[in-house]
Amino acid sequence: MSRAVVAKDLVASQARALKMPGVVRALEALARQAHQEHWAYEEFLHEIFSAELASRLDSSIRQRLREARFPEMKTLDTFDFAATDGVVHAAQIADLARGEWITRHDNVIFAGPIGTGKTHLAIALGVEAARQRRRVLFVRAADVVRSLLEARDARELGRLQRRLYQVDLLVLDELGFVPFDRAGGELLFNLLTERYERRSVIVTTNLAFGEWVKVFAGDEKLTTALLDRLAHHATVIATKGKSYRMRKKGENQENETETRERVEPAQALPKSKRQA
Ligand code: ADP
Ligand code: MG
């Protein structure tokens, strides 16, 4: 075996011992290229370190995405802005995707009927935040309240509260689907109060603000205080209209019967249907 081959094997095993998987993967090709192109030692080292840095960035993003526990993968590039009756603007969402609001500890609220893309957008913004290596956690409101109640009964409330507090972005999905009892409502209230002006929240809800009190066991005072905090520094995006899947179904049927009628995707549904 030539000295170079022995050295390469040694470097590979040292890189493994040093936990540098990017180096292990890039070594062979970079060494070959360096020989062929007569790189300076510094140049070669720079390329090696760049490969390791890229690999670490990549795995930390994957780690963040795993920790976020998104129920499914949704991204902005698959979101059809033309199908939102003009209420969700690509520019606004692109701006939110940059995540400065998370640095400012602001909130985002998506409110609107079922199937109008609230969860899709919430996950997609969460994915963007995770790609910026922010800590994100996705929870359904009913699930997190149940977990909080269980943790309280098991005397482990503090630990769960810390975990929920620590993430940079908490996505609270489906607030309003299941009403909470008083204790549950208070635990959720405490969580949001704890995060207020310190960490960001995305809330998706099918309720208008006036209906939130129903979810919190009719407690007006608590609901008002909660809404105050949530909405204080919040971007509120109200979605409307028919569910996306229903639209698509309608569109397809339309395509079969009256193909010539179709123009813009935004106008895909006849006016009467869109207003329904
Ligand atoms: P909501 O949370 O408002 O009830 P979802 O975000 O779960 O609705 O949307 C239901 C389904 O329709 C999902 O599969 C979602 O990806 C899709 N969807 C909704 N709106 C859009 C849209 N404007 N563009 C692409 N897909 C959409
Ligand atoms: Mg949803």
Side-chain angles (χ1 to χ4, degrees), residues 72-75 78-84 88 110 112-123 173-174 177 204-205 239 242-245 247-248:
E72 53 191 331
M73 198 55 175
K74 294 284 176 187
T75 50
T78 59
F79 192 78
D80 179 4
F81 288 93
T84 67
V88 184
F110 291 108
I114 268 182
T116 50
K118 302 182 300 294
T119 300
H120 186 136
L121 288 166
I123 293 175
D173 195 37
E174 295 186 352
F177 275 13
T204 83
T205 179
T239 60
K242 276 201 172 175
S243 101
Y244 181 75
R245 288 191 181 129
R247 282 174 202 246
K248 290 289 138 187

Side-chain angles (χ1 to χ4, degrees), residues 3-255:
R3 268 177 64 196
V5 172
V6 173
K8 203 180 65 202
D9 287 350
L10 283 174
V11 172
S13 72
Q14 285 171 319
R16 250 174 243 117
L18 286 165
K19 302 210 179 334
M20 299 174 109
V23 173
V24 177
R25 275 193 303 273
L27 183 62
E28 174 125 26
L30 283 178
R32 197 179 322 116
Q33 200 182 353
H35 277 297
Q36 283 164 359
E37 298 173 10
H38 308 288
W39 288 357
Y41 296 121
E42 291 85 347
E43 233 176 308
F44 177 65
L45 259 188
H46 170 64
E47 292 299 331
I48 281 285
F49 284 156
S50 300
E52 180 58 30
L53 284 171
S55 143
R56 286 186 188 191
L57 177 65
D58 193 56
S59 61
S60 81
I61 289 171
R62 265 183 290 135
Q63 171 82 3
R64 289 282 189 249
L65 287 170
R66 264 197 308 277
E67 285 167 358
R69 306 219 197 150
F70 296 118
E72 53 191 331
M73 198 55 175
K74 294 284 176 187
T75 50
L76 289 180
D77 55 340
T78 59
F79 192 78
D80 179 4
F81 288 93
T84 67
D85 284 354
V87 291
V88 184
H89 302 286
Q92 184 182 27
I93 299 297
D95 186 48
L96 290 172
R98 278 197 293 277
E100 282 142 28
W101 61 283
I102 304 174
T103 310
R104 290 194 304 268
H105 313 140
D106 292 353
N107 302 321
V108 173
I109 300 172
F110 291 108
I114 268 182
T116 50
K118 302 182 300 294
T119 300
H120 186 136
L121 288 166
I123 293 175
L125 289 179
V127 167
E128 292 304 316
R131 284 181 180 154
Q132 294 152 9
R133 285 196 286 169
R134 300 181 200 267
R135 288 159 303 177
V136 182
L137 182 65
F138 179 102
V139 290
R140 286 204 182 83
D143 293 341
V144 78
V145 166
R146 196 180 336 103
S147 302
L148 283 163
L149 286 165
E150 282 168 10
R152 185 201 56 183
D153 295 345
R155 300 183 172 280
E156 286 170 357
L157 186 55
R159 185 139 48 104
L160 178 59
Q161 281 172 328
R162 272 193 299 283
R163 235 190 75 216
L164 292 169
Y165 171 69
Q166 272 165 2
V167 293
D168 301 304
L169 174 62
L170 184 72
V171 181
L172 191 63
D173 195 37
E174 295 186 352
L175 187 81
F177 275 13
V178 185
F180 312 122
D181 63 11
R182 185 159 234 107
E186 275 168 17
L187 286 167
L188 188 64
F189 174 81
N190 290 344
L191 170 63
L192 294 173
T193 300
E194 190 66 12
R195 294 182 65 84
Y196 175 58
E197 292 192 327
R198 285 183 282 206
R199 305 260 198 256
S200 294
V201 184
I202 296 181
V203 175
T204 83
T205 179
N206 57 318
L207 299 178
F209 288 140
E211 299 172 306
W212 281 41
V213 65
K214 282 193 292 197
V215 183
F216 290 95
D219 190 332
E220 291 270 0
K221 239 168 95 186
L222 180 138
T223 309
T224 311
L226 178 107
L227 271 172
D228 243 35
R229 292 188 175 114
L230 258 187
H232 185 196
H233 308 280
T235 302
V236 180
I237 296 175
T239 60
K240 65 170 190 177
K242 276 201 172 175
S243 101
Y244 181 75
R245 288 191 181 129
M246 292 302 287
R247 282 174 202 246
K248 290 289 138 187
K249 230 161 118 189
E251 245 174 57
N252 290 341
Q253 280 161 6
E254 241 170 74
N255 279 344

